[in-house]
Amino acid sequence: MKKKLIIVDISSFIFRAFYAIRPLTSPDGIPVNAVHGVWNMVFKLLSQYSPTHIVMARDTGEKTFRHELYDDYKANRTEVPEDLIPQFAIIHELVECMQLANQKKVGYEADDVIGTICTKWKDEFDEILIATGDKDLMQFVDDKVKLVDTMKDIIYDRDGVFNKMNVWPEQIVDYLSIVGDASDNIPGMKGIGAKGAAKLLDQYKTLEACIENKSEMKGKRVIDAFENHVEDALLSKKLIQIFTEVDLDIKPNDSVNSFGPNPELETFFERYGFKSALKKIKDIEYQNHVAGENNEQISSADETPEFNQQNFGKEFGVSELKKLITDFESVAIYLDFDQSDISTRRLVNAYLLAGNNLITFTKEYLEDVFSIIGKKDIYTEHGKRLVNYLDQHSIAKSKKIFDVTQLHYLINQNAKHDLSSMAEEYLAKSVPGLDKKQGDIEAVDLSSQIGLRMKAVIEIGEVLLKEATEREVIEVYRKIDFPLFSVLSEMEGNGILLNSKYLQKYQKDLEKEIAEIEAKISGLYDGEINLRSSKQVGELLFEKLNLPAKKKTKTGYSTDSSVLEDLDSMGVSEVPGLLLKYREIDKLLSTYVRALPELVSVKTKRIHTNFSQHTAATGRLSSLNPNLQNIPIRNES
């Protein structure tokens, strides 16, 4: 079995959670928003990555050897918020109740504990993940060690670090020594920013080599930095370099992942009013019980329920439907359309789930169904689509329709809001996809798959509704998000008019410009080249034209826009400028001028985009399929 260790920078989790989640209190009035956030983040980490071993690395809150080196180390930090102070002890209690190994060391930071574990324990594991938002820890990333940012669901390997920082992991310490770190009050070298530091390290590789070659430096600010701030850089390096010789109190075997339901954890959740967390634990406990009865090890994925399937219509009347759903406070609705095109799609079937009663019905009976379920909580993963269909057919909308996607967005804007991600986060289970093609799936199998998704929608929806109510954001849904469903669906249905004739003419003009650029570049070095090939463009610039190479990747020379812009600003060749122009026109052609006319509806002669309320973390609307918000409004063409 593959041994996977996750080292959690719990301090990073605590502060992220505190500022990301609105104030919450326990039944006794104790602040618990950070506790709640840390629980969700750690549980998601365990569910998503299934580590065999895990360690929570903690800060002590006391001064470290870095304060002895530099009195002003972290001197710019503000006081810990009053509401956060009591939560540190509660979070430690949570970690203990979750039966997770944890480690702190007086005189050192959590980063030093993490660095020591990464280096000392590396041979014990097949893979090590550092869960943090701290870029300092990127210095340990290699073929075995990776960094995971749980807020963005990104794993950084060596290439990932380079793509984000423009330096390799082994250069992170030198990079931060040059640019400094405002969050820790580390000075760095005044006058050199991120871009300049990356350029220097690309050329000289290390800080020491930069210092040795300072006589070669160009630019007033860079020269001044190396004349007056070298000592600041060297001090910064001592502060940033993570100590890897901490005398740990735990061994690799002590970090075995022992998380699971237990009385102490359940009591903890009950005491602090974590209802959704308690439900998750109870669900896992039940699944483990079933696994024990069957004498087999199962994951946290759900059992496949046997649905009581009925067809609502002439043979199955209103009275029978009432009997099947009367005992359930919550139901789910799913509308199955024949295609995604808003202007031409038709309803194939509608589905209602109450408990394990899965009822299939056609559009003729939708009004009857809603007259029966109108007072219940109705959950769906496509609220706008459901409301749109009800509006189109003049069916009264229940004000108790809850879109789980939108509720989840209100609670955590930075998370993934698809049903699969939510099921992993809240239920620790997977749900089947519905990437079906006509005729690929038997009707019975399709109904069962839809039923499984609807069952998850109800379970997630009940948790989210309680959480949104506790956080006092449910009124945002009721007064803003839900009424917007009707407005946005009408906008989507109306569509947007496109001047296709103009675009046809514009396409010819742009294609002519593309051909002229291709001919000009080919004529400059007497050869043909595919300007869409990064490899061929790299060979042209840095081997045939002998321009100074800026940075290299594993696959060859980098020819990204920043490299081309730098080369163009040097004025040594007109090719980089031509390439920038080529890429601008080529993107305009492929993404908009050629593509948009193909998306015009045959029926309405308009483009029908989808306006999403839960894509952008800032809360603004997003335009999807196609994205009409990124169309450039002007250029030289």
Side-chain angles (χ1 to χ4, degrees):
M1 180 179 179
K2 185 177 180 180
K3 292 176 67 177
K4 180 193 293 183
L5 169 67
I6 293 184
I7 315 169
V8 180
D9 179 4
I10 195 69
S11 299
S12 171
F13 274 29
I14 290 171
F15 284 95
R16 278 187 166 197
F18 179 78
Y19 290 109
I21 298 174
R22 291 181 52 157
L24 293 175
T25 57
S26 70
D28 296 332
I30 301 171
V32 290
N33 61 325
V35 186
H36 196 282
V38 168
W39 152 252
N40 278 328
M41 292 165 77
V42 174
F43 182 78
K44 180 181 178 182
L45 199 65
L46 293 166
S47 302
Q48 190 167 347
Y49 297 104
S50 303
T52 58
H53 297 68
I54 184 167
V55 176
M56 317 297 281
R58 302 164 53 204
D59 283 320
T60 64
E62 301 178 29
K63 288 190 174 182
T64 70
F65 70 92
R66 293 179 177 86
H67 293 89
E68 296 175 7
L69 289 171
Y70 184 49
D71 288 339
D72 290 333
Y73 180 63
K74 294 190 176 181
N76 60 335
R77 292 281 178 97
T78 57
E79 291 293 322
V80 176
E82 187 176 341
D83 282 355
L84 179 56
I85 293 172
Q87 298 191 59
F88 287 108
I90 301 172
I91 290 168
H92 180 56
E93 182 185 356
L94 169 66
V95 171
E96 293 286 343
C97 289
M98 292 178 72
Q99 301 176 335
L100 303 177
N102 63 92
Q103 177 72 77
K104 66 177 180 179
K105 206 70 177 176
V106 174
Y108 300 96
E109 298 180 26
D111 286 2
D112 301 311
V113 171
I114 293 170
T116 300
I117 292 174
C118 282
T119 54
K120 299 292 186 185
W121 294 9
K122 186 181 293 187
D123 293 340
E124 299 286 334
F125 296 97
D126 300 299
E127 182 180 9
I128 297 177
L129 296 178
I130 306 171
T132 184
D134 191 344
K135 57 183 177 292
D136 294 14
L137 289 162
M138 287 179 170
Q139 63 189 267
F140 295 104
V141 172
D142 57 22
D143 293 338
K144 182 178 284 189
V145 180
K146 299 178 180 66
L147 187 144
V148 55
D149 186 336
T150 56
M151 296 294 283
K152 298 177 181 177
D153 277 335
I154 297 174
I155 292 181
Y156 293 101
D157 56 10
R158 280 182 54 78
D159 287 341
V161 170
F162 184 85
N163 290 335
K164 180 175 178 61
M165 307 297 292
N166 286 319
V167 294
W168 296 103
E170 58 271 20
Q171 296 176 307
I172 286 290
V173 173
D174 289 345
Y175 170 82
L176 293 175
S177 300
I178 295 172
V179 301
D181 188 343
S183 64
D184 289 340
N185 206 34
I186 293 174
M189 300 181 74
K190 185 178 178 181
I192 302 179
K195 193 172 181 180
K199 285 183 178 180
L200 288 170
L201 291 173
D202 178 53
Q203 184 173 359
Y204 297 108
K205 309 307 178 189
T206 68
L207 170 63
E208 288 74 16
C210 290
I211 296 171
E212 287 176 10
N213 293 279
K214 64 181 183 179
S215 60
E216 299 178 5
M217 301 302 169
K218 296 179 181 179
K220 184 178 179 181
R221 288 190 174 186
V222 175
I223 292 170
D224 178 72
F226 277 92
E227 285 182 351
N228 299 304
H229 299 288
V230 167
E231 292 303 317
D232 289 338
L234 294 173
L235 171 62
S236 297
K237 185 164 184 174
K238 290 179 181 178
L239 297 172
I240 292 164
Q241 185 78 53
I242 292 173
F243 186 71
T244 60
E245 296 293 334
V246 176
D247 185 14
L248 300 173
D249 299 322
I250 58 174
K251 295 180 174 61
N253 288 341
D254 298 326
S255 67
V256 171
N257 179 12
S258 302
F259 170 72
N262 63 75
E264 291 79 13
L265 186 58
E266 292 179 15
T267 301
F268 177 92
F269 289 146
E270 288 170 351
R271 182 163 71 251
Y272 292 107
F274 287 13
K275 296 176 183 178
S276 61
L278 186 60
K279 183 180 185 304
K280 289 177 188 176
I281 292 299
K282 293 286 189 184
D283 285 347
I284 295 173
E285 193 171 28
Y286 172 73
Q287 292 157 11
N288 290 342
H289 172 69
V290 172
E293 286 187 341
N294 293 336
N295 197 28
E296 63 179 274
Q297 184 69 34
I298 64 169
S299 69
S300 56
D302 201 10
E303 295 177 274
T304 302
E306 290 292 331
F307 291 112
N308 171 29
Q309 298 196 33
Q310 300 279 356
N311 290 310
F312 177 56
K314 292 180 181 179
E315 303 298 324
F316 185 78
V318 170
S319 59
E320 288 88 348
L321 180 61
K322 286 182 177 179
K323 289 178 185 177
L324 282 181
I325 70 172
T326 189
D327 293 333
F328 303 99
E329 294 181 2
S330 303
V331 300
I333 284 282
Y334 180 82
L335 301 186
D336 183 26
F337 291 93
D338 61 351
Q339 57 180 291
S340 59
D341 189 324
I342 298 170
S343 64
T344 57
R345 68 187 179 197
R346 293 184 302 170
L347 184 67
V348 178
N349 269 317
Y351 296 84
L352 168 68
L353 182 71
N356 277 352
N357 298 314
L358 181 61
I359 299 110
T360 309
F361 57 97
T362 53
K363 63 182 180 180
E364 291 82 7
Y365 301 101
L366 193 60
E367 187 169 7
D368 290 331
V369 169
F370 264 83
S371 69
I372 298 169
I373 67 173
K375 293 184 179 180
K376 297 181 181 292
D377 290 336
I378 304 166
Y379 295 103
T380 176
E381 57 178 307
H382 300 295
K384 177 154 57 71
R385 190 164 74 179
L386 173 59
V387 166
N388 173 247
Y389 198 81
L390 295 175
D391 287 344
Q392 282 182 341
H393 294 82
S394 302
I395 298 172
K397 297 188 295 289
S398 165
K399 292 184 179 180
K400 300 185 75 177
I401 294 175
F402 296 106
D403 182 316
V404 294
T405 307
Q406 195 61 34
L407 285 177
H408 189 245
Y409 174 83
L410 283 175
I411 291 167
N412 187 354
Q413 291 82 10
N414 294 310
K416 291 183 178 179
H417 309 299
D418 59 285
L419 189 61
S420 294
S421 298
M422 288 189 286
E424 288 179 1
E425 178 182 356
Y426 286 92
L427 309 177
K429 65 177 72 170
S430 59
V431 293
L434 289 175
D435 297 328
K436 63 182 190 298
K437 295 179 181 178
Q438 192 69 29
D440 283 355
I441 304 175
E442 293 292 333
V444 174
D445 293 335
L446 177 60
S447 295
S448 296
Q449 290 180 14
I450 291 173
L452 287 169
R453 292 180 69 88
M454 294 170 72
K455 187 173 179 64
V457 164
I458 292 176
E459 293 174 352
I460 294 167
E462 289 175 339
V463 174
L464 290 174
L465 182 56
K466 288 179 181 177
E467 199 166 341
T469 303
E470 290 170 359
R471 297 191 187 190
E472 299 179 353
V473 295
I474 191 61
E475 289 306 306
V476 175
Y477 177 85
R478 289 191 171 116
K479 294 180 179 179
I480 298 176
D481 293 331
F482 182 72
L484 263 179
F485 288 161
S486 292
V487 176
L488 296 179
S489 60
E490 185 176 356
M491 289 169 58
E492 292 170 356
N494 288 339
I496 296 168
L497 191 63
L498 190 74
N499 190 336
S500 297
K501 288 185 178 180
Y502 170 78
L503 287 182
Q504 288 174 1
K505 178 183 179 300
Y506 191 37
Q507 177 180 334
K508 292 178 181 178
D509 293 341
L510 293 179
E511 286 172 344
K512 181 180 178 183
E513 283 191 67
I514 284 279
E516 289 173 351
I517 292 173
E518 289 174 335
K520 190 167 188 178
I521 291 177
S522 296
L524 287 173
Y525 77 101
D526 193 26
E528 292 187 3
I529 182 173
N530 178 4
L531 297 184
R532 295 186 182 91
S533 167
S534 295
K535 184 179 179 181
Q536 291 186 34
V537 168
E539 291 172 352
L540 166 64
L541 292 173
F542 307 117
E543 294 178 9
K544 295 178 179 176
L545 298 180
N546 291 316
L547 300 183
K550 293 296 174 181
K551 56 184 178 182
K552 238 184 170 184
T553 66
K554 283 187 175 181
T555 56
Y557 297 102
S558 172
T559 62
D560 62 23
S561 58
S562 65
V563 170
L564 294 179
E565 286 167 3
D566 284 347
L567 292 172
D568 188 44
S569 66
M570 292 179 181
V572 293
S573 170
E574 65 178 312
V575 172
L578 290 170
L579 286 169
L580 286 167
K581 183 67 175 175
Y582 178 90
R583 289 181 181 179
E584 178 188 0
I585 298 172
D586 194 45
K587 181 178 180 180
L588 195 61
L589 265 172
S590 60
T591 309
Y592 304 110
V593 178
R594 292 192 188 112
L596 289 179
E598 295 178 3
L599 298 175
V600 172
S601 168
V602 176
K603 180 180 178 181
T604 66
K605 310 301 182 187
R606 289 170 172 259
I607 287 180
H608 299 271
T609 187
N610 170 41
F611 293 109
S612 171
Q613 295 159 266
H614 48 254
T615 298
T618 58
R620 67 169 174 80
L621 284 176
S622 294
S623 168
L624 306 171
N625 301 321
N627 182 351
L628 299 179
Q629 293 176 319
N630 286 347
I631 300 175
I633 58 173
R634 65 177 63 87
N635 62 20
E636 291 180 7
S637 301

